[in-house]
Amino acid sequence: MADYYAQEDVQQILHLAIARKTDKGEFSRSQLVEMANELGISSDRLAEAEHEWLAHHGEFKERQAFDTFRSTRLKNNVIRYAIVNSFLVLLNLATAHALTWSLPIVFLWGLFLALKVWRTYELKGEDYEKAFASWRLKQQIGNSINTTLTKWLKPQEGSV
């Protein structure tokens, strides 16, 4: 065992120890405050850290929702591709008894679909961040409109 540890090493060791300490994997707020006190962390520093964690946690949840949205949209595109191109191939076989005019459509659409797959599962980079920012803005605008319409269409009972 070492006599001295780097700050990151201490964090990792404590993280592992805390993870093994509980059976439920959950702590109450009072337990969090108690642990912070035992480690000599002031309540102000704990509140700052908790606030920062909440901000990051909220963004993490938004990114998960965005990734789910993109995956669902991609799945819909793949299903649409399969249905339309199956119909075109069958129509081509029924009319010409060979695959002639449908193959270029299948391959070209497949190329564009492959590019969409690549963009959907590319979770880093400037394009991803731009798409996430655009999606987030649309979500915020939609939520604002829904809130406004709800307040306007369903006024509170005390104000009538």
Side-chain angles (χ1 to χ4, degrees), residues 15-152:
H15 177 74
L16 290 172
I18 290 170
R20 291 185 179 142
K21 180 183 176 192
T22 66
D23 294 331
K24 294 187 292 183
E26 295 181 3
F27 292 96
S28 67
R29 177 97 174 53
S30 61
Q31 287 174 312
L32 177 64
V33 171
E34 182 182 328
M35 284 186 273
N37 287 336
E38 289 177 10
L39 293 171
I41 300 170
S42 70
S43 59
D44 292 338
R45 293 246 191 260
L46 179 64
E48 289 172 9
E50 191 174 16
H51 182 71
E52 183 179 341
W53 175 81
L54 283 171
H56 290 296
H57 188 67
E59 183 175 335
F60 176 74
K61 291 283 189 188
E62 283 183 326
R63 286 186 186 272
Q64 280 183 324
F66 174 62
D67 293 341
T68 301
F69 165 76
R70 286 170 46 131
S71 295
T72 302
R73 189 175 62 185
L74 176 65
K75 185 170 56 171
N76 291 340
N77 284 334
V78 169
I79 291 170
R80 187 177 308 123
Y81 170 82
I83 291 171
V84 170
N85 284 307
S86 296
F87 172 75
L88 292 176
V89 166
L90 290 174
L91 182 65
N92 189 199
L93 286 173
T95 57
H97 302 294
L99 293 176
T100 54
W101 55 265
S102 65
L103 283 181
I105 296 171
V106 169
F107 289 131
L108 189 62
W109 193 346
L111 175 66
F112 287 115
L113 187 62
L115 291 172
K116 282 187 180 188
V117 169
W118 180 49
R119 279 196 312 249
T120 298
Y121 290 107
E122 183 181 29
L123 300 179
K124 291 185 174 150
E126 189 176 328
D127 290 338
Y128 177 82
E129 293 302 325
K130 284 180 182 178
F132 174 65
S134 173
W135 176 84
R136 186 185 222 179
L137 180 62
K138 287 177 186 175
Q139 294 298 311
Q140 290 171 346
I141 290 170
N143 289 341
S144 296
I145 290 171
N146 283 340
T147 302
T148 304
L149 287 176
T150 301
K151 286 180 181 178
W152 188 65

